Amino acid sequence: MTAARVAADLPHLPDRRASGSSEVVDHSITTRQSIRAFLADGVERATIEEILQVAARAPSGTNTQPWRVTVLMGSARQRLSDAILKVHNDPEQRKHHTEEYAYYPTKWIEPYLSRRRKIGWDLYGLLGIGREDKAQMHAQHGRNYVFFDAPVGLIFTIDRILEQGSWLDFGMFQQNVMIAARARGLDTCPQAAFMQFHRVIARELNLADGEMVVCGMALGYADMSKIENTLVTERAPVADFARFLES
Ligand SMILES: Cc1cc2nc3c(=O)[nH]c(=O)nc-3n(C[C@H](O)[C@H](O)[C@H](O)COP(=O)(O)O)c2cc1C
């Protein structure tokens, strides 16, 4: 049994001292990046279960634990990818598929607009995709639906009756998944792109009416020989987003 499994199973250990150097946790957090090209190497089901068990230690309002996950591997993963790509690659069908909830505002303001543009052009720039090259952009966007070739695809769903607070809890769970994955040498890419095809996902995964697609996530070993994985995103310094009131 690994240390992580023990920690997840025995959460009430009285020892509140730091388990080691903060560098271990910080390393997992700061080396996480959205990976958009994966190796074919598979991930053991036991490892995925361990990651999910650890991640489920995330806090949630009144311990409601709103997260639900469908883990897709092998032909199950391929079936979903095929079903989505069939629609994504057909403009007629695609226009009938829209997001079920708004991730982004309809009207952008600064500084969000510039940040959003920068990551888009930085990624396309690395891949040599020009601003007018709609076909290549479409193809690159379509890579989302094969989970960037990751062997594991996660589809996160939430009970429709739950409110904004539970979505907050959900994000904490998802970050835990990504950090626990990193601690095991694995990488991830959270994927809102799946939301557009929530009806295809509901059909393919046989979701209950009350279940709503939150987003997807690719999980696997990063292929660091691929140019898209050299993308380094910026962060504003603490002074830009935090204020300290001390007297
Ligand atoms: C909820 C969520 C959804 C995202 N959806 C996508 C997506 O569909 N496709 C994609 O390539 N990246 C997606 N991203 C990745 C962001 O672009 C990325 O987190 C951001 O640019 C910061 O880069 P980093 O993750 O490498 O630090 C998503 C991130 C989050 C948190």
Side-chain angles (χ1 to χ4, degrees), residues 67-140:
W67 37 82
R68 281 189 202 160
V69 196
T70 300
V71 181
L72 297 164
M73 297 189 280
S75 51
R77 188 202 70 111
Q78 194 58 49
R79 263 198 313 280
L80 181 68
S81 294
D82 291 347
I84 293 177
L85 281 176
K86 199 165 152 227
V87 179
H88 176 67
N89 291 331
D90 177 349
E92 247 329 285
Q93 284 193 61
R94 191 173 67 236
K95 69 181 181 203
H96 298 296
H97 291 261
T98 50
E99 284 90 358
E100 197 177 10
Y101 70 92
Y103 188 105
Y104 298 112
T106 45
K107 188 175 179 299
W108 286 93
I109 57 162
E110 292 298 342
Y112 317 113
L113 180 62
S114 301
R115 290 175 182 166
R116 173 178 168 79
R117 284 192 174 138
K118 179 164 174 32
I119 150 86
W121 294 128
D122 283 355
L123 178 62
Y124 287 143
L126 275 175
L127 289 162
I129 302 175
R131 289 175 189 228
E132 304 306 320
D133 201 343
K134 301 286 181 226
Q136 282 229 61
M137 279 184 197
H138 175 78
Q140 175 58 28

Side-chain angles (χ1 to χ4, degrees), residues 29-36 101 103-104 115-116 119-120 123 140-141 143-145 148 174-175 178 188-195 214-217 231-235:
I29 294 173
T30 56
T31 61
R32 186 215 55 77
Q33 66 180 92
S34 293
I35 287 295
R36 296 183 179 87
Y101 70 92
Y103 188 105
Y104 298 112
R115 290 175 182 166
R116 173 178 168 79
I119 150 86
L123 178 62
Q140 175 58 28
H141 186 69
R143 301 253 315 130
N144 272 288
Y145 305 119
F148 301 109
Q174 288 175 316
Q175 173 73 352
M178 293 188 276
T188 53
C189 184
Q191 298 177 278
F194 281 96
M195 280 152 44
V214 175
C215 68
M217 186 181 287
L231 178 68
V232 178
T233 54
E234 293 173 354
R235 294 296 188 276

Side-chain angles (χ1 to χ4, degrees), residues 156 169-179 214-217:
F156 297 98
D169 306 337
F170 213 121
M172 298 185 199
F173 169 72
Q174 288 175 316
Q175 173 73 352
N176 274 358
V177 169
M178 293 188 276
I179 300 313
V214 175
C215 68
M217 186 181 287

